Amino acid sequence: MSWIGGKKSLRELIVTLFPIYYERYIEVFGGAGWVLFHKFPGNDFEVYNDFNGLLVNLYRCVRDKPKELTKALRYILNARADFDLIKNTLARDSPASDVQRAAWFYQLIRYSYASGLTSYGSQPHDMWSNFPLIEQAHRRLAKVVIENKDFEKLIGQYDRPVSFFYCDPPYFETESYYKNVGEDGFTEKDHIRLRDALLRIEGKFLLSYNDCSFIRELYDAPGIQIDSYTRINNIKQRYDNGAQFPEILIANYDMQERMRDSPMQLNLFGEGGFID
C-alpha cells in the first residue's frame, strides 16, 4: 500500500545491498513494509516495528485476524462523509475493537489523498480488490514479530552481532509529513539520537535518507559508507516529468559485498551460471 516515504521504487536496490550474512532482520521504521515484503523470507528472525500505533494494530490484524478484517471492510463506502467521520473517530480514544480500528485506518490509507491520511482523495477504488493482498500479507507476516516501540529501545532490545537493522526514518526537514511519530514529531534531536544508537550497535545497519549536508555530516565517522542514488520524485512528477529525488544509503559495512560475492558463486557452475 502507499505510504509517506514508502520504498516501493528503491526496494529492489535496497535488498541487493543487504549484508551477505545475518540471522536477525529488524525493520525499525516499518511504514508500508515495502522492503520487508520484498526480501526473501528465509530462516532469519524477522521484526517489523513502527511508532504509529494505528499502523501496528493494522499489521497485527492482518497477521492474526485477516478474515475478521476483510469482513469489516466488505461494505464500507468510499465517501467524504465517512472519511471525515472515521478520521475524527480515530483521532480520539475509541472503544472500538482492534479489528474495527484496523479497518478504519486501512480505509483512511486507501481513500486519502496521496495516502496522507488527512484529506479525502476523491478517487474511485474497489476495496474488495485488496482482499487477496491482505491474504498474501497475512501469510508473509505469519512468523514476523510486530513491535510498537521507540526506535532506540527497539535497537537496544534486538541488537546482537548477528542482527541487521534496516532503518527508513522520517527524512530530514520533511518530518511534518509523517503522522503519529511522537509527541513533538520526529525532531533534529531524534536524528542525532538515531545516529548515536546505530554507531554503538554490535550488529549491522543500512539506513535510508534524503541527501543533505546535515545527514552527511552526522554520519561522517570511521567505518561508515555513504552512497548516493536518485529515484523518481512522485510529487514533482505531476508537473515536472522525469524529476529526480536525491537519496543516500548509509551503512556500517561494505554495501557492495553481496554484488562482489555473486560472480564467485556463479563461477562454481561455469561462466554462465549453469552446469553444461
Side-chain angles (χ1 to χ4, degrees):
M1 63 188 181
S2 296
W3 190 255
I4 296 294
K7 287 296 174 287
K8 179 180 181 179
S9 60
L10 281 178
R11 66 191 189 277
E12 180 67 37
L13 169 66
I14 289 170
V15 170
T16 64
L17 300 180
F18 278 12
I20 293 175
Y21 179 79
Y22 56 88
E23 295 179 9
R24 293 176 162 221
Y25 174 77
I26 303 97
E27 201 153 303
V28 182
F29 301 87
W34 280 103
V35 175
L36 173 66
F37 285 118
H38 192 67
K39 73 180 283 290
F40 184 77
N43 294 322
D44 52 319
F45 175 81
E46 295 178 316
V47 179
Y48 168 97
N49 177 74
D50 203 278
F51 194 76
N52 187 325
L54 290 171
L55 184 61
V56 167
N57 176 65
L58 170 60
Y59 272 96
R60 285 176 176 161
C61 288
V62 168
R63 183 190 64 185
D64 302 332
K65 303 176 181 179
K67 292 183 179 179
E68 292 93 327
L69 178 59
T70 53
K71 182 178 180 181
L73 289 168
R74 193 168 296 273
Y75 299 112
I76 63 173
L77 298 177
N78 183 359
R80 185 182 301 275
D82 284 43
F83 180 89
D84 291 338
L85 177 62
I86 63 173
K87 182 181 71 172
N88 294 332
T89 301
L90 287 173
R92 305 186 300 269
D93 290 333
S94 171
S97 69
D98 56 348
V99 171
Q100 184 60 72
R101 285 185 288 112
W104 283 338
F105 191 61
Y106 193 64
Q107 187 175 352
L108 279 191
I109 295 170
R110 285 299 187 184
Y111 292 154
S112 61
Y113 175 74
S115 300
L117 308 177
T118 56
S119 58
Y120 180 60
S122 300
Q123 295 294 322
H125 181 78
D126 178 13
M127 186 62 74
W128 287 41
S129 67
N130 300 132
F131 295 172
L133 298 176
I134 292 174
E135 176 60 31
Q136 291 175 42
H138 156 70
R139 294 196 298 270
R140 178 62 182 87
L141 293 170
K143 296 182 179 180
V144 176
V145 176
I146 299 177
E147 294 277 21
N148 179 210
K149 293 180 179 290
D150 171 80
F151 65 81
E152 187 174 8
K153 293 180 180 178
L154 182 91
I155 291 171
Q157 177 179 344
Y158 287 101
D159 184 32
R160 303 287 190 281
V162 293
S163 296
F164 171 52
F165 298 91
Y166 171 61
C167 303
D168 184 30
Y171 280 9
F172 183 62
E173 294 185 333
T174 68
E175 298 89 348
S176 61
Y177 298 162
Y178 298 80
K179 306 299 178 184
N180 303 317
V181 292
E183 184 176 344
D184 300 317
F186 205 88
T187 67
E188 184 174 310
K189 291 182 179 179
D190 290 313
H191 290 291
I192 296 172
R193 190 162 60 94
L194 175 60
R195 186 275 313 271
D196 293 343
L198 290 174
L199 291 188
R200 61 174 177 258
I201 64 172
E202 297 181 74
K204 297 178 179 179
F205 74 82
L206 178 62
L207 175 63
S208 309
Y209 258 122
N210 52 327
D211 194 348
C212 65
S213 59
F214 173 78
I215 297 300
R216 283 185 175 272
E217 291 172 8
L218 201 61
Y219 285 89
D220 183 11
I224 300 301
Q225 179 180 338
I226 302 178
D227 288 347
S228 303
Y229 300 91
T230 60
R231 64 169 172 81
I232 294 292
N233 190 319
N234 294 323
I235 296 177
K236 287 187 177 181
Q237 187 75 1
R238 297 166 187 168
Y239 54 85
D240 183 6
N241 188 34
Q244 298 288 312
F245 184 85
E247 303 204 27
I248 52 177
L249 292 171
I250 307 170
N252 64 345
Y253 62 92
D254 179 7
M255 285 186 271
Q256 308 304 321
E257 65 178 16
R258 186 177 292 270
M259 295 183 183
R260 291 194 183 99
D261 190 62
S262 294
M264 294 176 62
Q265 293 178 343
L266 291 176
N267 286 340
L268 294 175
F269 302 98
E271 186 175 344
F274 299 95
I275 299 176
D276 294 330

